Each structure stands twice: as C-alpha cells, then as structure tokens.
Amino acid sequence: ADEAGGFAALRACRARRIAIASDLGEDTGERLLRACPLTLRELLLPGVRVGATGAHRVADCLTKQGAAGLEHVDLARNGLGPEGAQHLAVALAVTTSLTICDLRSNGIGDEGAEHIAKALCINTSITALMLGINRISNAGVDRIAEALAQNTTLTDLHLGGNVLSDVGARRLGEALEGKCSLRTLLLGANKIGDSGASSLANALHVNTALTKLDLGYNELGPEGVKHVTLMLGANTTVTQLALEGNKKVDAASKDLIRAAWRHGSPGLTI
C-alpha cells in the first residue's frame, strides 16, 4: 500500500528529475516508470534493472512527451538486451528532446547497436550516446558508422569496452573523414591494433571536429603509435589523447608521442 501510494504521489507531482541507483527489479521498476510525470526531464536509473519491459516504458515516455520531454536518460546496467534497445530505438527516431542517452553495460550486442544506429539516422537531438561494454563487434560498429555519415548532431560517442577490432576502427575512420560531427570518441579497451590506429590517424589528418580520442587498453604497437605521431604533426584540434595500457608500445614510441604533443601534459596519457 505504501509503495502504491508513493507511485500515485509521484504521478501527481511535477518532478523534473528522478535519480535512483539501487536494484529495484523489473516489476517495481516498471511500476515506477508507469508513474513518471510528464514534467520529467532527467531519468537516471543506473543499475535499477528495469529490463526490456522497462525500456519499453521509457520509450513510451519519450514518444508521449514530445518536444518538451526527457532530456537525459541513464539506463546503464539495466539488462535491456537487444529487445530493450529496439524499444528505445523506436522512440529515439521520433524524440526531439533527448540529448544524453546512457546505455552502457546492457548486453545489446550487434543487433541492439543496429537498432540504435537506424534511429541515429533520423534523430536530430541526441548529442551524447554511451554504448560502452555492450558486446558490440565490427558488425554493429559498421551500422553506427553508417549512421554517423547522416547524423549531424551527435558529438560524444562512447564505445569503450566492446569487441571491435581494426575493421571497426577503419569504418569509424571513414566516418570521421566525412561530415561527422563527433568531438569525443572513446574506443578504450577494445581490440584495435596498428592498422585500426592508422585508419583513425589518417582520418584525423583531415577531420577538424574531433577534440578527444581514447585508444587506451587496445593492441597498438610501435607502428600504430608512429601513425598517431604523424597525425599530431598535422592535426591541431585533438587536445585530449589516451593511449595508456597498450602493452606493445615501447619506450621509444612513447617518447615520440610526447615530443609531438603540443597541448600540455594533462591532455595526454600514455
């Protein structure tokens, strides 16, 4: 009864922000989402475990609210899976209010990434998208890269902790060479080697939008670092670069990067 009364009070209030970080479970999470007021602007539920059903409720909120709706959604660690990603993608294709969407650690895989990518081809409001630790491989990144060629509003893309390799990095490099609006690209803790680093570095010879690149904890070696070093001689916009944790990178390669870096030590980690 107390719980029901609490949800009724939530529905009646004009809250703009809900933030919960405890595991409520799918049933309680769904009742919470059903009670969300239309005035809500921030829905922060990391680790609440609302599942695919909860993702469907969030999608309903996004589609019902219209232009004056949710602006920030955090559903990290909620067990959404590909089905949950599909529900959200339907809403992302039509929402004009959402700017930040955090879907880290949800096991959406390549199937879920494809659903999100299709929405990005249409969406004109999202500026930051977090898809880290989702078992996304080159196939999923390929779809995301296709979307980046059409999307002109996304500026921050987080893909760290997935399983993309040189093939995926090459596709992202191709996207960066086009009319890509990204300013932050986080690719740490993947399987990117020298070839992938070379593709990204070559793209940044011409790209003038990206300011932050994370390639830490990948599989780069001296050859990959050489290409990044050459890029730094031509690129003046990348002011934050992470290369730490690449075990194949030797001391000489690190010295080359440090010598080429022009933006002060806080922006470079190697």
Side-chain angles (χ1 to χ4, degrees):
D2 290 343
E3 184 180 271
F7 288 142
L10 175 62
R11 189 179 296 111
C13 78
R14 297 182 61 81
R16 295 179 63 85
R17 185 176 190 268
I18 293 176
I20 300 172
S22 58
D23 185 344
L24 298 181
E26 192 164 337
D27 291 340
T28 303
E30 183 184 3
R31 290 197 292 274
L32 167 70
L33 291 167
R34 284 180 179 275
C36 286
L38 292 178
T39 54
L40 202 61
R41 298 295 175 266
E42 292 182 86
L43 181 61
L44 313 180
L45 303 177
V48 171
R49 200 165 52 87
V50 299
T53 303
H56 198 177
R57 297 302 170 206
V58 175
D60 285 344
C61 289
L62 285 166
T63 53
K64 289 176 181 178
Q65 287 180 320
L70 282 168
E71 299 168 359
H72 182 181
V73 169
D74 183 350
L75 292 177
R77 308 187 309 281
N78 265 281
L80 305 184
E83 182 184 352
Q86 183 175 15
H87 289 313
L88 288 171
V90 172
L92 296 182
V94 298
T95 180
T96 57
S97 64
L98 191 68
T99 59
I100 302 173
C101 185
D102 190 341
L103 301 178
R104 289 173 295 174
S105 299
N106 273 296
I108 70 171
D110 290 334
E111 181 184 347
E114 182 172 358
H115 291 307
I116 298 297
K118 287 179 180 178
L120 285 178
C121 292
I122 304 169
N123 181 278
T124 59
S125 65
I126 293 178
T127 59
L129 177 62
M130 293 75 162
L131 295 176
I133 319 175
N134 265 303
R135 300 198 296 272
I136 298 171
S137 73
N138 295 327
V141 170
D142 182 67
R143 298 295 180 266
I144 292 172
E146 289 177 359
L148 292 176
Q150 301 181 52
N151 185 291
T152 59
T153 53
L154 188 68
T155 58
D156 290 24
L157 178 59
H158 300 204
L159 288 169
N162 284 296
V163 288
L164 66 100
S165 64
D166 290 337
V167 174
R170 184 177 71 244
R171 288 292 289 118
L172 290 171
E174 291 168 356
L176 289 172
E177 289 179 354
K179 296 179 180 179
C180 181
S181 56
L182 288 184
R183 289 177 173 78
T184 295
L185 179 58
L186 305 187
L187 299 174
N190 277 284
K191 299 180 181 298
I192 300 169
D194 289 340
S195 175
S198 174
S199 298
L200 291 166
N202 289 339
L204 291 174
H205 277 274
V206 295
N207 179 287
T208 58
L210 200 75
T211 62
K212 182 176 182 178
L213 176 64
D214 182 358
L215 288 173
Y217 296 93
N218 276 282
E219 298 177 3
L220 277 67
E223 187 67 20
V225 172
K226 182 179 78 172
H227 286 285
V228 174
T229 302
L230 291 172
M231 175 273 292
L232 292 176
N235 182 292
T236 60
T237 53
V238 174
T239 57
Q240 292 180 272
L241 176 63
L243 294 170
E244 79 275 20
N246 286 284
K247 296 180 180 179
K248 299 177 184 178
V249 176
D250 56 25
S253 299
K254 292 180 181 181
D255 288 341
L256 285 175
I257 282 283
R258 293 189 185 103
W261 188 250
R262 295 177 285 184
H263 303 290
S265 57
L268 176 66
T269 54
I270 187 169

